[in-house]
């Protein structure tokens, strides 16, 4: 039995933090990024049926997602323990989601920086639902060669190996070698985060020390008002150059980059209005169109994040004009909507077309 994390993919990074904290505390978890195979609907149904509890990650986009609604309602029908986790500040669910949540106690995880500190109360609510025994947890950790972490652990106490494990958990394994080369431990990681308050200074420091500034764009948060999302022309241009090289299967900065991960970074960055203008001005729409109309490793995921970026960009008048005028792009989006087997990808394609 596990704890199932039911969420809308726009808050995926925050949900992955929750998942990581639960796993460190000995909980078995289920999340669609690493346990999906075969029919999506069948996999979801089995995940609900095999769960001891379901964390419903509440947001406006969760309410609007048919796939999320199916998960939540099936969990309710199966009489599973449902624990609401608020992923969007000040959001109050209405309609079907409000009715399903009823008077349940919410756990506010809208700010990713506060997730670790709030896990104690969430785990108290979960109790032993989905939790393995301590001996099993310790044995699993020893077999993996990783120290057992507790919920009281702070990132600034991590050693270089724990930082590497964190990079792998958040699907940024591409950066392990670079971090190892520069002996990045928890203290250095914390300093890197604090430097993000001054984007230009962080950009220049990373260029001097790492030579890979595009990593900033892949690791930034999702908050629309976060100043770390305010990019400059140079950084946007560099990120697009790396994405273009990745689409061609070429190396950049001495490594091969992952198309879908770069598109995920662009999807996050394109929420910001200033970034919409910069990405469009630097030819970002043309490169995203190449992703949508081309074939790449992890094509389904690459399509989803590229479409998400285009959806965000389309809220800017100039960007929308460029998207509409791009030969074959709108038809390709329609084709993905008609043929994709992923509900999430179809949902994003539908949203992009609606905005256009």
């Amino acid at each position: 039995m596990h704890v199932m994390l039911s969420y809308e993919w726009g808050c995926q990074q925050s949900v992955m933090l929750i998942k990581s904290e639960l796993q460190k505390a000995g909980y078995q978890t289920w999340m669609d990024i690493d346990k999906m195979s075969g029919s999506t609907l069948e996999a979801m149904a089995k995940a609900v049926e095999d769960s001891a509890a379901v964390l419903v990650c509440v947001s406006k986009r969760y309410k609007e997602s048919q796939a999320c609604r199916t998960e939540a309602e099936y969990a309710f029908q199966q009489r599973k323990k449902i624990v609401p986790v608020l992923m969007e500040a000040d959001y109050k669910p209405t309609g079907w989601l409000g009715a399903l949540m009823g008077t349940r106690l919410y756990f506010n995880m809208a700010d990713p920086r506060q997730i670790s500190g709030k896990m104690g109360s969430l785990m108290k609510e979960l109790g032993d639902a989905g939790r393995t025994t301590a001996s099993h947890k310790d044995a699993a950790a020893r077999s993996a060669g990783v120290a057992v972490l507790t919920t009281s652990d702070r990132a600034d106490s991590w050693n270089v190996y724990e930082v590497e494990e964190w990079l792998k958990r958040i699907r940024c394994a591409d950066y392990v070698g670079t971090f190892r080369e520069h002996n990045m431990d928890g203290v250095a990681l914390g300093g890197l985060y604090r430097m993000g308050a001054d984007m230009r200074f962080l950009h220049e420091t990373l260029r001097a020390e790492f030579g890979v500034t595009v990593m900033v764009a892949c690791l930034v948060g999702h908050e629309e008002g976060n100043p770390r999302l305010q990019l400059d022309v140079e950084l946007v241009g560099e990120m697009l150059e790396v994405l273009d090289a990745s689409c061609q299967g070429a190396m950049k900065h001495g490594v091969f980059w992952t198309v879908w991960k770069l598109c995920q970074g662009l999807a996050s960055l394109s929420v910001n209005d200033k970034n919409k203008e910069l990405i469009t001005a630097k030819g970002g729409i043309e490169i995203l169109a190449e992703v949508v109309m081309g074939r790449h490793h992890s094509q389904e995921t690459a399509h989803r994040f590229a479409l998400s970026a285009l959806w965000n960009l389309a809220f800017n008048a100039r960007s929308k004009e460029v998207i509409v005028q791009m030969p074959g792009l709108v038809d390709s989006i329609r084709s993905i909507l008609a043929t994709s087997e992923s509900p999430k990808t179809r949902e994003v394609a539908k949203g992009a077309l609606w905005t256009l």
Side-chain angles (χ1 to χ4, degrees):
M1 302 290 278
H2 54 241
V3 176
M4 178 181 179
L5 294 103
S6 176
Y7 69 101
E8 195 282 323
W9 69 268
C11 60
Q12 185 184 83
Q13 295 301 315
S14 293
V15 176
M16 288 177 69
L17 291 176
I18 296 173
K19 173 190 173 186
S20 175
E21 293 292 334
L22 289 173
Q23 289 177 332
K24 287 190 288 185
Y27 288 90
Q28 293 286 337
T29 62
W30 188 98
M31 191 172 172
D32 61 0
I33 58 172
D34 51 12
K35 299 284 183 70
M36 294 289 279
S37 62
S39 165
T40 301
L41 190 60
E42 288 183 4
M44 178 278 295
K46 181 170 175 54
V48 172
E49 292 162 2
D50 293 346
S51 68
V54 178
L55 297 190
V56 173
C57 300
V58 177
S59 67
K60 181 180 178 181
R61 289 175 65 170
Y62 186 96
K63 177 180 179 287
E64 295 170 349
S65 167
Q66 184 58 49
C68 293
R69 179 172 182 172
T70 300
E71 289 180 0
E73 290 186 343
Y74 190 57
F76 181 79
Q77 292 169 7
Q78 292 291 305
R79 300 183 181 276
K80 296 296 181 179
K81 180 182 181 71
I82 294 177
V83 180
V85 178
L86 188 64
M87 306 304 296
E88 184 176 340
D90 301 322
Y91 175 68
K92 295 181 179 179
T94 57
W96 72 267
L97 184 55
L100 188 144
M101 294 297 99
T103 59
R104 291 181 174 87
L105 175 66
Y106 284 77
F107 294 87
N108 191 341
M109 303 284 186
D111 186 346
R113 294 165 295 185
Q114 298 181 9
I115 286 177
S116 180
K118 294 184 175 182
M119 288 301 297
S121 57
L122 176 60
M123 292 176 191
K124 183 177 180 180
E125 174 68 17
L126 286 172
D128 290 330
R131 197 170 197 167
T132 58
T133 64
S135 60
H136 287 168
K137 178 192 172 190
D138 292 347
R142 283 194 298 272
S143 67
V146 180
V148 177
L149 301 177
T150 69
T151 55
S152 63
D153 285 317
R154 293 174 53 87
D156 56 14
S157 69
W158 292 350
N159 59 36
V160 291
Y161 301 106
E162 289 165 334
V163 170
E164 289 179 12
E165 289 302 316
W166 169 75
L167 286 171
K168 294 173 184 176
R169 286 199 302 272
I170 64 171
R171 305 182 78 174
C172 290
D174 289 347
Y175 308 120
V176 166
T178 302
F179 272 59
R180 182 183 302 155
E181 180 183 347
H182 290 81
N183 199 33
M184 290 287 291
D185 59 9
V187 174
L189 186 66
L192 192 65
Y193 177 82
R194 288 187 289 275
M195 286 163 56
D198 185 338
M199 191 66 194
R200 184 173 296 278
F201 176 64
L202 177 59
H203 178 201
E204 292 172 353
T205 301
L206 287 172
R207 176 180 291 282
E209 297 294 329
F210 291 90
V212 188
T213 59
V214 73
M215 62 182 292
V216 182
C218 296
L219 296 175
V220 292
H222 292 272
E223 304 94 333
E224 187 169 356
N226 192 327
R228 283 185 292 277
L229 288 178
Q230 299 284 341
L231 301 183
D232 57 33
V233 175
E234 186 178 12
L235 180 54
V236 171
E238 184 165 356
M239 184 173 186
L240 292 175
E241 286 180 10
V242 173
L243 177 56
D244 188 39
S246 183
C247 288
Q248 308 303 325
M251 296 180 71
K252 189 72 173 178
H253 297 302
V255 296
F256 289 101
W257 295 81
T258 306
V259 173
W260 77 261
K261 188 64 182 177
L262 291 162
C263 289
Q264 183 185 40
L266 279 176
S268 298
L269 295 169
S270 58
V271 171
N272 181 275
D273 288 338
K274 178 184 176 183
N275 293 339
K276 287 182 175 70
E277 298 174 0
L278 291 176
I279 292 170
T280 302
K282 296 294 290 185
I285 291 174
E286 289 84 347
I287 300 175
L288 288 167
E290 183 179 347
V291 175
V292 171
M293 295 188 286
R295 298 188 64 84
H296 308 281
H297 178 66
S298 299
Q299 179 174 318
E300 187 74 55
T301 308
H303 279 171
R304 185 195 316 161
F305 286 119
L307 288 170
S308 179
L310 290 170
W311 186 0
N312 289 334
L313 289 168
F315 284 96
N316 174 277
R318 173 56 185 158
S319 303
K320 178 178 179 178
E321 181 181 356
V322 174
I323 293 171
V324 172
Q325 293 178 354
M326 184 67 56
L329 179 54
V330 175
D331 286 340
S332 293
I333 297 174
R334 291 196 182 104
S335 176
I336 291 172
L337 175 61
T339 61
S340 175
E341 297 181 357
S342 166
K344 293 179 181 179
T345 302
R346 292 198 302 271
E347 181 180 337
V348 178
K350 186 183 298 183
L353 290 171
W354 175 82
T355 309
L356 297 173

